[in-house]
PDB file of all heavy atoms in Angstrom:
ATOM      1  N   ASN A   1       0.869  -1.179   0.000  1.00 96.00           N
ATOM      2  CA  ASN A   1       0.000   0.000   0.000  1.00 96.00           C
ATOM      3  C   ASN A   1       0.905   1.228   0.000  1.00 96.00           C
ATOM      4  O   ASN A   1       1.485   1.572   1.024  1.00 96.00           O
ATOM      5  CB  ASN A   1      -0.897   0.018   1.248  1.00 96.00           C
ATOM      6  CG  ASN A   1      -1.748  -1.232   1.360  1.00 96.00           C
ATOM      7  OD1 ASN A   1      -2.456  -1.599   0.434  1.00 96.00           O
ATOM      8  ND2 ASN A   1      -1.679  -1.899   2.494  1.00 96.00           N
ATOM      9  N   LEU A   2       1.044   1.857  -1.148  1.00 95.00           N
ATOM     10  CA  LEU A   2       2.012   2.941  -1.271  1.00 95.00           C
ATOM     11  C   LEU A   2       1.353   4.223  -1.757  1.00 95.00           C
ATOM     12  O   LEU A   2       0.689   4.242  -2.795  1.00 95.00           O
ATOM     13  CB  LEU A   2       3.130   2.559  -2.242  1.00 95.00           C
ATOM     14  CG  LEU A   2       4.306   3.532  -2.309  1.00 95.00           C
ATOM     15  CD1 LEU A   2       5.135   3.446  -1.023  1.00 95.00           C
ATOM     16  CD2 LEU A   2       5.179   3.240  -3.518  1.00 95.00           C
ATOM     17  N   LEU A   3       1.543   5.294  -0.992  1.00 95.00           N
ATOM     18  CA  LEU A   3       1.100   6.622  -1.410  1.00 95.00           C
ATOM     19  C   LEU A   3       2.288   7.312  -2.077  1.00 95.00           C
ATOM     20  O   LEU A   3       3.237   7.719  -1.402  1.00 95.00           O
ATOM     21  CB  LEU A   3       0.614   7.433  -0.207  1.00 95.00           C
ATOM     22  CG  LEU A   3       0.344   8.920  -0.479  1.00 95.00           C
ATOM     23  CD1 LEU A   3      -0.812   9.084  -1.457  1.00 95.00           C
ATOM     24  CD2 LEU A   3       0.056   9.671   0.810  1.00 95.00           C
ATOM     25  N   ASP A   4       2.252   7.398  -3.392  1.00 94.00           N
ATOM     26  CA  ASP A   4       3.296   8.106  -4.134  1.00 94.00           C
ATOM     27  C   ASP A   4       2.797   9.528  -4.350  1.00 94.00           C
ATOM     28  O   ASP A   4       1.806   9.748  -5.044  1.00 94.00           O
ATOM     29  CB  ASP A   4       3.530   7.409  -5.476  1.00 94.00           C
ATOM     30  CG  ASP A   4       4.621   8.084  -6.309  1.00 94.00           C
ATOM     31  OD1 ASP A   4       5.105   9.162  -5.905  1.00 94.00           O
ATOM     32  OD2 ASP A   4       4.977   7.533  -7.368  1.00 94.00           O
ATOM     33  N   ILE A   5       3.474  10.506  -3.758  1.00 92.00           N
ATOM     34  CA  ILE A   5       2.972  11.880  -3.843  1.00 92.00           C
ATOM     35  C   ILE A   5       2.918  12.373  -5.280  1.00 92.00           C
ATOM     36  O   ILE A   5       2.136  13.268  -5.604  1.00 92.00           O
ATOM     37  CB  ILE A   5       3.830  12.851  -2.995  1.00 92.00           C
ATOM     38  CG1 ILE A   5       5.287  12.873  -3.483  1.00 92.00           C
ATOM     39  CG2 ILE A   5       3.749  12.497  -1.523  1.00 92.00           C
ATOM     40  CD1 ILE A   5       6.113  13.978  -2.865  1.00 92.00           C
ATOM     41  N   HIS A   6       3.703  11.772  -6.172  1.00 90.00           N
ATOM     42  CA  HIS A   6       3.694  12.189  -7.577  1.00 90.00           C
ATOM     43  C   HIS A   6       2.435  11.704  -8.292  1.00 90.00           C
ATOM     44  O   HIS A   6       2.040  12.278  -9.303  1.00 90.00           O
ATOM     45  CB  HIS A   6       4.939  11.662  -8.291  1.00 90.00           C
ATOM     46  CG  HIS A   6       6.214  12.148  -7.686  1.00 90.00           C
ATOM     47  ND1 HIS A   6       6.710  13.411  -7.899  1.00 90.00           N
ATOM     48  CD2 HIS A   6       7.092  11.543  -6.839  1.00 90.00           C
ATOM     49  CE1 HIS A   6       7.841  13.566  -7.231  1.00 90.00           C
ATOM     50  NE2 HIS A   6       8.089  12.445  -6.572  1.00 90.00           N
ATOM     51  N   GLY A   7       1.833  10.628  -7.788  1.00 89.00           N
ATOM     52  CA  GLY A   7       0.614  10.116  -8.394  1.00 89.00           C
ATOM     53  C   GLY A   7      -0.642  10.587  -7.680  1.00 89.00           C
ATOM     54  O   GLY A   7      -1.754  10.179  -8.030  1.00 89.00           O
ATOM     55  N   LEU A   8      -0.474  11.439  -6.684  1.00 89.00           N
ATOM     56  CA  LEU A   8      -1.600  11.950  -5.922  1.00 89.00           C
ATOM     57  C   LEU A   8      -2.294  13.043  -6.731  1.00 89.00           C
ATOM     58  O   LEU A   8      -1.730  14.122  -6.947  1.00 89.00           O
ATOM     59  CB  LEU A   8      -1.109  12.505  -4.586  1.00 89.00           C
ATOM     60  CG  LEU A   8      -2.138  12.976  -3.561  1.00 89.00           C
ATOM     61  CD1 LEU A   8      -3.038  11.815  -3.152  1.00 89.00           C
ATOM     62  CD2 LEU A   8      -1.441  13.561  -2.346  1.00 89.00           C
ATOM     63  N   GLU A   9      -3.490  12.762  -7.219  1.00 83.00           N
ATOM     64  CA  GLU A   9      -4.178  13.702  -8.102  1.00 83.00           C
ATOM     65  C   GLU A   9      -4.470  15.020  -7.413  1.00 83.00           C
ATOM     66  O   GLU A   9      -4.345  16.090  -8.004  1.00 83.00           O
ATOM     67  CB  GLU A   9      -5.472  13.071  -8.631  1.00 83.00           C
ATOM     68  CG  GLU A   9      -5.223  11.889  -9.561  1.00 83.00           C
ATOM     69  CD  GLU A   9      -6.505  11.347 -10.138  1.00 83.00           C
ATOM     70  OE1 GLU A   9      -7.579  11.915  -9.841  1.00 83.00           O
ATOM     71  OE2 GLU A   9      -6.431  10.352 -10.878  1.00 83.00           O
ATOM     72  N   THR A  10      -4.899  14.963  -6.178  1.00 81.00           N
ATOM     73  CA  THR A  10      -5.145  16.192  -5.429  1.00 81.00           C
ATOM     74  C   THR A  10      -4.872  15.966  -3.948  1.00 81.00           C
ATOM     75  O   THR A  10      -5.437  15.044  -3.346  1.00 81.00           O
ATOM     76  CB  THR A  10      -6.587  16.699  -5.607  1.00 81.00           C
ATOM     77  OG1 THR A  10      -6.817  17.773  -4.683  1.00 81.00           O
ATOM     78  CG2 THR A  10      -7.603  15.603  -5.362  1.00 81.00           C
ATOM     79  N   PRO A  11      -4.024  16.770  -3.334  1.00 84.00           N
ATOM     80  CA  PRO A  11      -3.791  16.659  -1.889  1.00 84.00           C
ATOM     81  C   PRO A  11      -4.989  17.140  -1.069  1.00 84.00           C
ATOM     82  O   PRO A  11      -4.968  17.049   0.152  1.00 84.00           O
ATOM     83  CB  PRO A  11      -2.572  17.571  -1.655  1.00 84.00           C
ATOM     84  CG  PRO A  11      -1.958  17.774  -3.000  1.00 84.00           C
ATOM     85  CD  PRO A  11      -3.123  17.743  -3.961  1.00 84.00           C
ATOM     86  N   ASP A  12      -6.032  17.651  -1.726  1.00 87.00           N
ATOM     87  CA  ASP A  12      -7.177  18.196  -1.002  1.00 87.00           C
ATOM     88  C   ASP A  12      -7.953  17.141  -0.236  1.00 87.00           C
ATOM     89  O   ASP A  12      -8.854  17.471   0.537  1.00 87.00           O
ATOM     90  CB  ASP A  12      -8.124  18.915  -1.975  1.00 87.00           C
ATOM     91  CG  ASP A  12      -7.512  20.197  -2.527  1.00 87.00           C
ATOM     92  OD1 ASP A  12      -6.553  20.696  -1.905  1.00 87.00           O
ATOM     93  OD2 ASP A  12      -7.971  20.682  -3.576  1.00 87.00           O
ATOM     94  N   VAL A  13      -7.614  15.871  -0.444  1.00 93.00           N
ATOM     95  CA  VAL A  13      -8.261  14.808   0.313  1.00 93.00           C
ATOM     96  C   VAL A  13      -7.830  14.865   1.780  1.00 93.00           C
ATOM     97  O   VAL A  13      -8.476  14.281   2.648  1.00 93.00           O
ATOM     98  CB  VAL A  13      -7.931  13.430  -0.312  1.00 93.00           C
ATOM     99  CG1 VAL A  13      -6.470  13.053  -0.079  1.00 93.00           C
ATOM    100  CG2 VAL A  13      -8.844  12.342   0.229  1.00 93.00           C
ATOM    101  N   PHE A  14      -6.752  15.604   2.069  1.00 96.00           N
ATOM    102  CA  PHE A  14      -6.270  15.735   3.439  1.00 96.00           C
ATOM    103  C   PHE A  14      -6.772  17.035   4.063  1.00 96.00           C
ATOM    104  O   PHE A  14      -6.951  18.046   3.370  1.00 96.00           O
ATOM    105  CB  PHE A  14      -4.741  15.694   3.466  1.00 96.00           C
ATOM    106  CG  PHE A  14      -4.183  14.419   2.883  1.00 96.00           C
ATOM    107  CD1 PHE A  14      -3.580  14.416   1.632  1.00 96.00           C
ATOM    108  CD2 PHE A  14      -4.290  13.220   3.571  1.00 96.00           C
ATOM    109  CE1 PHE A  14      -3.081  13.242   1.084  1.00 96.00           C
ATOM    110  CE2 PHE A  14      -3.803  12.037   3.036  1.00 96.00           C
ATOM    111  CZ  PHE A  14      -3.193  12.056   1.788  1.00 96.00           C
ATOM    112  N   GLN A  15      -6.976  17.012   5.376  1.00 95.00           N
ATOM    113  CA  GLN A  15      -7.560  18.146   6.082  1.00 95.00           C
ATOM    114  C   GLN A  15      -6.545  18.959   6.882  1.00 95.00           C
ATOM    115  O   GLN A  15      -6.798  20.101   7.229  1.00 95.00           O
ATOM    116  CB  GLN A  15      -8.663  17.650   7.042  1.00 95.00           C
ATOM    117  CG  GLN A  15      -9.719  16.780   6.383  1.00 95.00           C
ATOM    118  CD  GLN A  15     -10.485  17.526   5.310  1.00 95.00           C
ATOM    119  OE1 GLN A  15     -10.918  18.657   5.524  1.00 95.00           O
ATOM    120  NE2 GLN A  15     -10.656  16.897   4.160  1.00 95.00           N
ATOM    121  N   THR A  16      -5.389  18.387   7.200  1.00 96.00           N
ATOM    122  CA  THR A  16      -4.358  19.082   7.966  1.00 96.00           C
ATOM    123  C   THR A  16      -3.336  19.685   7.000  1.00 96.00           C
ATOM    124  O   THR A  16      -3.536  19.671   5.779  1.00 96.00           O
ATOM    125  CB  THR A  16      -3.647  18.115   8.930  1.00 96.00           C
ATOM    126  OG1 THR A  16      -2.931  17.140   8.161  1.00 96.00           O
ATOM    127  CG2 THR A  16      -4.655  17.409   9.832  1.00 96.00           C
ATOM    128  N   ASP A  17      -2.196  20.155   7.529  1.00 95.00           N
ATOM    129  CA  ASP A  17      -1.169  20.718   6.656  1.00 95.00           C
ATOM    130  C   ASP A  17      -0.433  19.654   5.844  1.00 95.00           C
ATOM    131  O   ASP A  17       0.494  19.969   5.094  1.00 95.00           O
ATOM    132  CB  ASP A  17      -0.159  21.568   7.450  1.00 95.00           C
ATOM    133  CG  ASP A  17       0.487  20.828   8.604  1.00 95.00           C
ATOM    134  OD1 ASP A  17       0.401  19.586   8.647  1.00 95.00           O
ATOM    135  OD2 ASP A  17       1.079  21.496   9.476  1.00 95.00           O
ATOM    136  N   LEU A  18      -0.866  18.392   5.949  1.00 96.00           N
ATOM    137  CA  LEU A  18      -0.393  17.372   5.010  1.00 96.00           C
ATOM    138  C   LEU A  18      -0.701  17.803   3.584  1.00 96.00           C
ATOM    139  O   LEU A  18       0.057  17.514   2.651  1.00 96.00           O
ATOM    140  CB  LEU A  18      -1.074  16.028   5.284  1.00 96.00           C
ATOM    141  CG  LEU A  18      -0.455  15.108   6.339  1.00 96.00           C
ATOM    142  CD1 LEU A  18      -1.401  13.967   6.647  1.00 96.00           C
ATOM    143  CD2 LEU A  18       0.889  14.577   5.869  1.00 96.00           C
ATOM    144  N   ARG A  19      -1.830  18.487   3.420  1.00 94.00           N
ATOM    145  CA  ARG A  19      -2.239  18.968   2.095  1.00 94.00           C
ATOM    146  C   ARG A  19      -1.168  19.890   1.516  1.00 94.00           C
ATOM    147  O   ARG A  19      -0.756  19.741   0.357  1.00 94.00           O
ATOM    148  CB  ARG A  19      -3.575  19.709   2.227  1.00 94.00           C
ATOM    149  CG  ARG A  19      -4.103  20.316   0.945  1.00 94.00           C
ATOM    150  CD  ARG A  19      -5.461  20.969   1.177  1.00 94.00           C
ATOM    151  NE  ARG A  19      -5.407  21.931   2.267  1.00 94.00           N
ATOM    152  CZ  ARG A  19      -6.126  21.836   3.389  1.00 94.00           C
ATOM    153  NH1 ARG A  19      -6.941  20.824   3.580  1.00 94.00           N
ATOM    154  NH2 ARG A  19      -6.012  22.756   4.334  1.00 94.00           N
ATOM    155  N   GLU A  20      -0.678  20.827   2.322  1.00 94.00           N
ATOM    156  CA  GLU A  20       0.337  21.768   1.847  1.00 94.00           C
ATOM    157  C   GLU A  20       1.708  21.099   1.691  1.00 94.00           C
ATOM    158  O   GLU A  20       2.451  21.404   0.750  1.00 94.00           O
ATOM    159  CB  GLU A  20       0.444  22.960   2.798  1.00 94.00           C
ATOM    160  CG  GLU A  20      -0.676  23.967   2.670  1.00 94.00           C
ATOM    161  CD  GLU A  20      -2.011  23.457   3.162  1.00 94.00           C
ATOM    162  OE1 GLU A  20      -2.036  22.723   4.172  1.00 94.00           O
ATOM    163  OE2 GLU A  20      -3.049  23.780   2.532  1.00 94.00           O
ATOM    164  N   VAL A  21       2.048  20.212   2.623  1.00 94.00           N
ATOM    165  CA  VAL A  21       3.340  19.527   2.551  1.00 94.00           C
ATOM    166  C   VAL A  21       3.437  18.692   1.277  1.00 94.00           C
ATOM    167  O   VAL A  21       4.419  18.763   0.526  1.00 94.00           O
ATOM    168  CB  VAL A  21       3.562  18.648   3.802  1.00 94.00           C
ATOM    169  CG1 VAL A  21       4.716  17.670   3.590  1.00 94.00           C
ATOM    170  CG2 VAL A  21       3.837  19.521   5.011  1.00 94.00           C
ATOM    171  N   PHE A  22       2.397  17.893   0.998  1.00 94.00           N
ATOM    172  CA  PHE A  22       2.405  17.071  -0.209  1.00 94.00           C
ATOM    173  C   PHE A  22       2.347  17.941  -1.467  1.00 94.00           C
ATOM    174  O   PHE A  22       3.006  17.650  -2.467  1.00 94.00           O
ATOM    175  CB  PHE A  22       1.242  16.082  -0.189  1.00 94.00           C
ATOM    176  CG  PHE A  22       1.416  14.957   0.799  1.00 94.00           C
ATOM    177  CD1 PHE A  22       0.317  14.295   1.312  1.00 94.00           C
ATOM    178  CD2 PHE A  22       2.673  14.562   1.216  1.00 94.00           C
ATOM    179  CE1 PHE A  22       0.462  13.252   2.218  1.00 94.00           C
ATOM    180  CE2 PHE A  22       2.847  13.520   2.123  1.00 94.00           C
ATOM    181  CZ  PHE A  22       1.735  12.859   2.625  1.00 94.00           C
ATOM    182  N   GLY A  23       1.540  18.997  -1.426  1.00 92.00           N
ATOM    183  CA  GLY A  23       1.439  19.896  -2.577  1.00 92.00           C
ATOM    184  C   GLY A  23       2.771  20.552  -2.892  1.00 92.00           C
ATOM    185  O   GLY A  23       3.139  20.712  -4.062  1.00 92.00           O
ATOM    186  N   PHE A  24       3.502  20.928  -1.858  1.00 91.00           N
ATOM    187  CA  PHE A  24       4.821  21.549  -2.029  1.00 91.00           C
ATOM    188  C   PHE A  24       5.800  20.556  -2.647  1.00 91.00           C
ATOM    189  O   PHE A  24       6.487  20.868  -3.632  1.00 91.00           O
ATOM    190  CB  PHE A  24       5.333  22.017  -0.665  1.00 91.00           C
ATOM    191  CG  PHE A  24       6.641  22.758  -0.695  1.00 91.00           C
ATOM    192  CD1 PHE A  24       6.664  24.146  -0.603  1.00 91.00           C
ATOM    193  CD2 PHE A  24       7.859  22.081  -0.788  1.00 91.00           C
ATOM    194  CE1 PHE A  24       7.872  24.838  -0.609  1.00 91.00           C
ATOM    195  CE2 PHE A  24       9.062  22.762  -0.802  1.00 91.00           C
ATOM    196  CZ  PHE A  24       9.071  24.145  -0.712  1.00 91.00           C
ATOM    197  N   LEU A  25       5.869  19.343  -2.079  1.00 91.00           N
ATOM    198  CA  LEU A  25       6.824  18.352  -2.554  1.00 91.00           C
ATOM    199  C   LEU A  25       6.503  17.882  -3.968  1.00 91.00           C
ATOM    200  O   LEU A  25       7.405  17.538  -4.733  1.00 91.00           O
ATOM    201  CB  LEU A  25       6.866  17.163  -1.592  1.00 91.00           C
ATOM    202  CG  LEU A  25       7.395  17.473  -0.188  1.00 91.00           C
ATOM    203  CD1 LEU A  25       7.340  16.226   0.698  1.00 91.00           C
ATOM    204  CD2 LEU A  25       8.827  17.998  -0.243  1.00 91.00           C
ATOM    205  N   GLN A  26       5.230  17.883  -4.336  1.00 90.00           N
ATOM    206  CA  GLN A  26       4.848  17.523  -5.698  1.00 90.00           C
ATOM    207  C   GLN A  26       5.427  18.496  -6.718  1.00 90.00           C
ATOM    208  O   GLN A  26       5.753  18.111  -7.838  1.00 90.00           O
ATOM    209  CB  GLN A  26       3.322  17.537  -5.846  1.00 90.00           C
ATOM    210  CG  GLN A  26       2.617  16.305  -5.324  1.00 90.00           C
ATOM    211  CD  GLN A  26       1.118  16.398  -5.568  1.00 90.00           C
ATOM    212  OE1 GLN A  26       0.505  17.465  -5.421  1.00 90.00           O
ATOM    213  NE2 GLN A  26       0.515  15.298  -5.949  1.00 90.00           N
ATOM    214  N   ARG A  27       5.569  19.760  -6.324  1.00 87.00           N
ATOM    215  CA  ARG A  27       5.952  20.814  -7.265  1.00 87.00           C
ATOM    216  C   ARG A  27       7.416  21.230  -7.173  1.00 87.00           C
ATOM    217  O   ARG A  27       7.830  22.154  -7.859  1.00 87.00           O
ATOM    218  CB  ARG A  27       5.067  22.051  -7.016  1.00 87.00           C
ATOM    219  CG  ARG A  27       3.604  21.823  -7.329  1.00 87.00           C
ATOM    220  CD  ARG A  27       2.733  22.947  -6.774  1.00 87.00           C
ATOM    221  NE  ARG A  27       1.353  22.842  -7.193  1.00 87.00           N
ATOM    222  CZ  ARG A  27       0.453  22.051  -6.626  1.00 87.00           C
ATOM    223  NH1 ARG A  27       0.814  21.284  -5.590  1.00 87.00           N
ATOM    224  NH2 ARG A  27      -0.791  21.999  -7.069  1.00 87.00           N
ATOM    225  N   GLN A  28       8.195  20.565  -6.341  1.00 84.00           N
ATOM    226  CA  GLN A  28       9.562  21.029  -6.110  1.00 84.00           C
ATOM    227  C   GLN A  28      10.442  20.942  -7.350  1.00 84.00           C
ATOM    228  O   GLN A  28      11.472  21.608  -7.440  1.00 84.00           O
ATOM    229  CB  GLN A  28      10.199  20.261  -4.957  1.00 84.00           C
ATOM    230  CG  GLN A  28      10.342  18.776  -5.170  1.00 84.00           C
ATOM    231  CD  GLN A  28      11.005  18.112  -3.976  1.00 84.00           C
ATOM    232  OE1 GLN A  28      11.837  18.690  -3.308  1.00 84.00           O
ATOM    233  NE2 GLN A  28      10.617  16.879  -3.684  1.00 84.00           N
ATOM    234  N   GLY A  29      10.034  20.167  -8.364  1.00 81.00           N
ATOM    235  CA  GLY A  29      10.804  20.091  -9.593  1.00 81.00           C
ATOM    236  C   GLY A  29      10.510  21.211 -10.570  1.00 81.00           C
ATOM    237  O   GLY A  29      11.186  21.357 -11.592  1.00 81.00           O
ATOM    238  N   ASN A  30       9.485  22.030 -10.280  1.00 83.00           N
ATOM    239  CA  ASN A  30       9.092  23.146 -11.156  1.00 83.00           C
ATOM    240  C   ASN A  30       9.045  24.413 -10.306  1.00 83.00           C
ATOM    241  O   ASN A  30       8.064  24.669  -9.612  1.00 83.00           O
ATOM    242  CB  ASN A  30       7.733  22.857 -11.790  1.00 83.00           C
ATOM    243  CG  ASN A  30       7.335  23.885 -12.828  1.00 83.00           C
ATOM    244  OD1 ASN A  30       7.610  25.081 -12.691  1.00 83.00           O
ATOM    245  ND2 ASN A  30       6.667  23.432 -13.878  1.00 83.00           N
ATOM    246  N   LYS A  31      10.107  25.210 -10.371  1.00 82.00           N
ATOM    247  CA  LYS A  31      10.236  26.366  -9.483  1.00 82.00           C
ATOM    248  C   LYS A  31       9.111  27.385  -9.677  1.00 82.00           C
ATOM    249  O   LYS A  31       8.573  27.919  -8.706  1.00 82.00           O
ATOM    250  CB  LYS A  31      11.586  27.037  -9.692  1.00 82.00           C
ATOM    251  CG  LYS A  31      12.751  26.216  -9.175  1.00 82.00           C
ATOM    252  CD  LYS A  31      14.060  26.980  -9.304  1.00 82.00           C
ATOM    253  CE  LYS A  31      15.221  26.165  -8.750  1.00 82.00           C
ATOM    254  NZ  LYS A  31      16.504  26.898  -8.859  1.00 82.00           N
ATOM    255  N   GLU A  32       8.758  27.667 -10.926  1.00 83.00           N
ATOM    256  CA  GLU A  32       7.713  28.664 -11.177  1.00 83.00           C
ATOM    257  C   GLU A  32       6.377  28.213 -10.614  1.00 83.00           C
ATOM    258  O   GLU A  32       5.651  28.994  -9.985  1.00 83.00           O
ATOM    259  CB  GLU A  32       7.602  28.924 -12.679  1.00 83.00           C
ATOM    260  CG  GLU A  32       8.811  29.623 -13.273  1.00 83.00           C
ATOM    261  CD  GLU A  32       8.632  29.934 -14.747  1.00 83.00           C
ATOM    262  OE1 GLU A  32       7.543  29.626 -15.290  1.00 83.00           O
ATOM    263  OE2 GLU A  32       9.565  30.478 -15.363  1.00 83.00           O
ATOM    264  N   GLU A  33       6.039  26.958 -10.848  1.00 88.00           N
ATOM    265  CA  GLU A  33       4.775  26.423 -10.330  1.00 88.00           C
ATOM    266  C   GLU A  33       4.786  26.388  -8.810  1.00 88.00           C
ATOM    267  O   GLU A  33       3.773  26.673  -8.166  1.00 88.00           O
ATOM    268  CB  GLU A  33       4.542  25.021 -10.890  1.00 88.00           C
ATOM    269  CG  GLU A  33       3.182  24.440 -10.511  1.00 88.00           C
ATOM    270  CD  GLU A  33       2.959  23.056 -11.101  1.00 88.00           C
ATOM    271  OE1 GLU A  33       3.753  22.657 -11.978  1.00 88.00           O
ATOM    272  OE2 GLU A  33       1.994  22.395 -10.665  1.00 88.00           O
ATOM    273  N   LEU A  34       5.935  26.052  -8.232  1.00 86.00           N
ATOM    274  CA  LEU A  34       6.047  26.000  -6.777  1.00 86.00           C
ATOM    275  C   LEU A  34       5.843  27.383  -6.168  1.00 86.00           C
ATOM    276  O   LEU A  34       5.111  27.527  -5.169  1.00 86.00           O
ATOM    277  CB  LEU A  34       7.425  25.455  -6.381  1.00 86.00           C
ATOM    278  CG  LEU A  34       7.720  25.381  -4.881  1.00 86.00           C
ATOM    279  CD1 LEU A  34       6.718  24.469  -4.180  1.00 86.00           C
ATOM    280  CD2 LEU A  34       9.148  24.896  -4.630  1.00 86.00           C
ATOM    281  N   VAL A  35       6.458  28.404  -6.757  1.00 85.00           N
ATOM    282  CA  VAL A  35       6.307  29.769  -6.241  1.00 85.00           C
ATOM    283  C   VAL A  35       4.853  30.207  -6.312  1.00 85.00           C
ATOM    284  O   VAL A  35       4.315  30.790  -5.361  1.00 85.00           O
ATOM    285  CB  VAL A  35       7.204  30.745  -7.032  1.00 85.00           C
ATOM    286  CG1 VAL A  35       6.871  32.183  -6.671  1.00 85.00           C
ATOM    287  CG2 VAL A  35       8.680  30.462  -6.745  1.00 85.00           C
ATOM    288  N   ARG A  36       4.190  29.925  -7.431  1.00 88.00           N
ATOM    289  CA  ARG A  36       2.762  30.296  -7.565  1.00 88.00           C
ATOM    290  C   ARG A  36       1.920  29.583  -6.506  1.00 88.00           C
ATOM    291  O   ARG A  36       1.010  30.186  -5.917  1.00 88.00           O
ATOM    292  CB  ARG A  36       2.254  29.940  -8.963  1.00 88.00           C
ATOM    293  CG  ARG A  36       2.737  30.865 -10.064  1.00 88.00           C
ATOM    294  CD  ARG A  36       1.883  30.704 -11.319  1.00 88.00           C
ATOM    295  NE  ARG A  36       1.940  29.349 -11.836  1.00 88.00           N
ATOM    296  CZ  ARG A  36       2.831  28.916 -12.714  1.00 88.00           C
ATOM    297  NH1 ARG A  36       3.757  29.743 -13.172  1.00 88.00           N
ATOM    298  NH2 ARG A  36       2.808  27.669 -13.153  1.00 88.00           N
ATOM    299  N   TYR A  37       2.224  28.307  -6.284  1.00 88.00           N
ATOM    300  CA  TYR A  37       1.458  27.522  -5.318  1.00 88.00           C
ATOM    301  C   TYR A  37       1.621  28.082  -3.904  1.00 88.00           C
ATOM    302  O   TYR A  37       0.640  28.241  -3.172  1.00 88.00           O
ATOM    303  CB  TYR A  37       1.917  26.072  -5.368  1.00 88.00           C
ATOM    304  CG  TYR A  37       1.243  25.162  -4.361  1.00 88.00           C
ATOM    305  CD1 TYR A  37      -0.101  24.836  -4.478  1.00 88.00           C
ATOM    306  CD2 TYR A  37       1.956  24.620  -3.287  1.00 88.00           C
ATOM    307  CE1 TYR A  37      -0.720  23.996  -3.558  1.00 88.00           C
ATOM    308  CE2 TYR A  37       1.351  23.788  -2.370  1.00 88.00           C
ATOM    309  CZ  TYR A  37       0.009  23.485  -2.507  1.00 88.00           C
ATOM    310  OH  TYR A  37      -0.593  22.654  -1.592  1.00 88.00           O
ATOM    311  N   VAL A  38       2.861  28.375  -3.530  1.00 88.00           N
ATOM    312  CA  VAL A  38       3.128  28.879  -2.176  1.00 88.00           C
ATOM    313  C   VAL A  38       2.565  30.281  -1.993  1.00 88.00           C
ATOM    314  O   VAL A  38       1.926  30.580  -0.979  1.00 88.00           O
ATOM    315  CB  VAL A  38       4.648  28.861  -1.896  1.00 88.00           C
ATOM    316  CG1 VAL A  38       4.962  29.576  -0.579  1.00 88.00           C
ATOM    317  CG2 VAL A  38       5.164  27.424  -1.838  1.00 88.00           C
ATOM    318  N   GLU A  39       2.784  31.158  -2.982  1.00 88.00           N
ATOM    319  CA  GLU A  39       2.300  32.541  -2.873  1.00 88.00           C
ATOM    320  C   GLU A  39       0.775  32.605  -2.834  1.00 88.00           C
ATOM    321  O   GLU A  39       0.195  33.509  -2.226  1.00 88.00           O
ATOM    322  CB  GLU A  39       2.816  33.373  -4.055  1.00 88.00           C
ATOM    323  CG  GLU A  39       4.316  33.597  -4.058  1.00 88.00           C
ATOM    324  CD  GLU A  39       4.751  34.615  -3.019  1.00 88.00           C
ATOM    325  OE1 GLU A  39       3.894  35.229  -2.376  1.00 88.00           O
ATOM    326  OE2 GLU A  39       5.981  34.789  -2.852  1.00 88.00           O
TER     327      GLU A  39
END
């Protein structure tokens, strides 16, 4: 049973800051997208 954050369609299924942590790590390979997401 493996949760691969890269295959996670939407982190919105989580209610705590897991949503933001997974969303951040999903985008760390794309700096522009990551900045937009965080801002």
Side-chain angles (χ1 to χ4, degrees):
N1 303 307
L2 188 71
L3 170 65
D4 181 353
I5 61 170
H6 300 282
L8 186 61
E9 293 184 2
T10 171
D12 291 341
V13 71
F14 301 106
Q15 307 298 314
T16 66
D17 55 15
L18 274 169
R19 178 177 54 241
E20 284 70 37
V21 166
F22 288 155
F24 184 102
L25 295 178
Q26 280 182 320
R27 294 167 173 81
Q28 62 179 328
N30 187 324
K31 290 185 178 180
E32 292 183 2
E33 186 179 348
L34 178 60
V35 170
R36 286 197 300 271
Y37 177 69
V38 171
E39 293 286 354

